[in-house]
């Protein structure tokens, strides 16, 4: 199996955080891709349809905010390309309600059928992952050409929270933007799909998750305190909320026979 994480090129970088590519050769062992909260809506292409919630997944799917942990299981070989978008992109680019896609991914055909059918056919017949990325980039650029940037305050707020997911940041942003708590929450949910308090907790969790995943810690309490948790127990509860696993279970998962 080959896994690559790429930065987007300049044409789509305003809306795309990163690109994940997984290439898995023909295999008799099923592979499950975990889906954990990370704050990013996602465009997912997979060459071989997988199983998610006991339903055959689409070749092209659009995910909103993922809160409840989930997974997609593949049998046999496949190529997967995932575009992780900046959180405001669903409204700006795809013209869909982020709230309606929270924990409810949809077939991309339902968003723009004519463009999607052509894109899917081209991706399934592409020879390399580089060709796939070029095709998806062109698709995104075509959508951006018709987009309107009408949520500048929320884009700013989401970026600030992601860079500093502390509890104090929400109060600070409300004062900085000169809006009430209720107005801030309503506008944030409209453009991001979840309340700002939950969005903050997701980024707090994800920062700790990346630290854990990359083994950049000596003990769990280091991760807890470095990411603003009250204590190690609080961190473990948050981790389990978003993964259905404890940090220890997650670390041991890959080493199990």
């Amino acid at each position: 199996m080959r896994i690559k994480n790429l930065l987007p090129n300049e044409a789509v970088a305003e809306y795309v955080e990163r690109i994940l590519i997984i290439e898995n050769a023909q295999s008799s062992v099923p592979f499950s891709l975990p889906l954990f909260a990370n704050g990013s809506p996602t465009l997912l292409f997979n060459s071989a349809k997988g199983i998610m919630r006991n339903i055959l997944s689409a070749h092209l799917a659009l995910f909103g905010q993922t809160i409840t942990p989930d997974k997609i299981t593949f049998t046999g070989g496949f190529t997967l390309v995932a575009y992780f978008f900046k959180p405001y992109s669903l409204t700006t680019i795809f013209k869909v309600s982020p709230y309606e896609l929270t924990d409810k991914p949809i077939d991309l055909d339902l968003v723009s059928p004519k463009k999607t059918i052509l894109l899917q056919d081209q991706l399934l017949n592409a020879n390399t992952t580089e060709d796939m990325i070029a095709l998806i980039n062109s698709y995104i650029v075509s959508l951006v050409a018709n987009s309107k940037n009408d949520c500048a305050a929320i884009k700013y707020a989401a970026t600030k929270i992601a860079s500093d997911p502390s509890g104090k940041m929400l109060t600070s942003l409300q004062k900085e933007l000169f809006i009430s708590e209720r107005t801030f929450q309503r506008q944030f949910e409209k453009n991001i799909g979840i309340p700002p308090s939950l969005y903050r907790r997701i980024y707090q969790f994800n920062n700790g998750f990346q630290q854990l995943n990359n083994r950049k810690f000596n003990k769990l309490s280091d991760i807890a305190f470095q990411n603003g948790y009250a204590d190690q127990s609080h961190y473990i509860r948050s981790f389990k909320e978003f993964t259905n696993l404890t940090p220890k279970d997650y670390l041991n998962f890959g080493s199990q026979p």
Side-chain angles (χ1 to χ4, degrees), residues 1-2 22-29 31 74-79:
M1 181 181 296
R2 293 193 296 173
I22 301 177
E23 296 177 272
N24 193 38
Q26 191 70 27
S27 173
S28 59
V29 179
F31 170 79
F74 299 94
T75 300
F78 67 90
T79 296

Side-chain angles (χ1 to χ4, degrees), residues 16-72:
V16 179
E17 291 277 6
R18 63 185 178 92
I19 302 167
L20 169 68
I21 299 173
I22 301 177
E23 296 177 272
N24 193 38
Q26 191 70 27
S27 173
S28 59
V29 179
F31 170 79
S32 290
L33 177 70
L35 304 175
F36 297 153
N38 59 22
S40 297
T42 307
L43 175 62
L44 185 67
F45 167 73
N46 45 276
S47 60
K49 293 184 177 182
I51 300 294
M52 181 178 177
R53 302 173 189 172
N54 296 318
I55 299 174
L56 198 64
S57 65
H59 284 297
L60 274 168
L62 186 62
F63 289 71
Q65 292 288 338
T66 295
I67 311 302
T68 306
D70 213 327
K71 64 181 179 180
I72 302 177

Side-chain angles (χ1 to χ4, degrees), residues 18 38 205-216:
R18 63 185 178 92
N38 59 22
F205 153 75
N206 195 53
N207 287 349
F209 177 78
Q210 296 304 324
Q211 190 175 347
L212 181 83
N213 203 39
N214 294 321
R215 306 301 198 273
K216 294 183 177 180

Side-chain angles (χ1 to χ4, degrees), residues 43 53 73 149 181 185 187 199 202 211 226 228 235 253:
L43 175 62
R53 302 173 189 172
T73 300
N149 296 320
E181 180 179 357
Q185 178 166 322
Q187 291 184 0
Y199 180 81
I202 285 173
Q211 190 175 347
Q226 289 169 20
Y235 167 63
F253 186 76

Side-chain angles (χ1 to χ4, degrees), residues 92-232:
T92 305
I93 300 179
F94 295 99
K95 306 296 189 299
V96 296
S97 167
Y99 182 79
E100 292 180 5
L101 265 62
T102 297
D103 273 341
K104 298 173 184 175
I106 61 171
D107 189 326
L108 195 61
D109 279 354
L110 300 176
V111 179
S112 52
K114 291 183 180 179
K115 287 185 177 181
T116 303
I117 292 172
L118 176 60
L119 174 64
Q120 178 174 293
D121 184 61
Q122 291 173 325
L123 289 170
L124 289 172
N125 288 285
N127 293 318
T128 66
T129 55
E130 288 78 11
D131 291 339
M132 293 177 184
I133 289 174
L135 287 165
I136 297 174
N137 283 348
S138 295
Y139 170 73
I140 294 171
V141 168
S142 71
L143 296 180
V144 169
N146 297 315
S147 68
K148 294 182 179 179
N149 296 320
D150 56 357
C151 57
I154 299 305
K155 287 168 62 175
Y156 173 78
T159 302
K160 290 282 285 186
I161 295 170
S163 65
D164 178 16
S166 65
K168 296 179 180 179
M169 177 56 70
L170 299 184
T171 302
S172 174
L173 279 169
Q174 291 166 31
K175 292 179 179 178
E176 186 177 352
L177 297 173
F178 298 102
I179 55 178
S180 68
E181 180 179 357
R182 178 60 190 142
T183 298
F184 181 51
Q185 178 166 322
R186 185 172 62 250
Q187 291 184 0
F188 202 93
E189 285 192 61
K190 176 183 176 182
N191 289 281
I192 307 298
I194 54 177
S197 57
L198 178 54
Y199 180 81
R200 181 198 70 78
R201 292 200 303 111
I202 285 173
Y203 265 91
Q204 183 185 35
F205 153 75
N206 195 53
N207 287 349
F209 177 78
Q210 296 304 324
Q211 190 175 347
L212 181 83
N213 203 39
N214 294 321
R215 306 301 198 273
K216 294 183 177 180
F217 67 99
N218 292 317
K219 50 187 183 296
L220 285 182
S221 58
D222 294 340
I223 299 178
F225 294 130
Q226 289 169 20
N227 289 282
Y229 290 99
D231 51 38
Q232 181 173 310

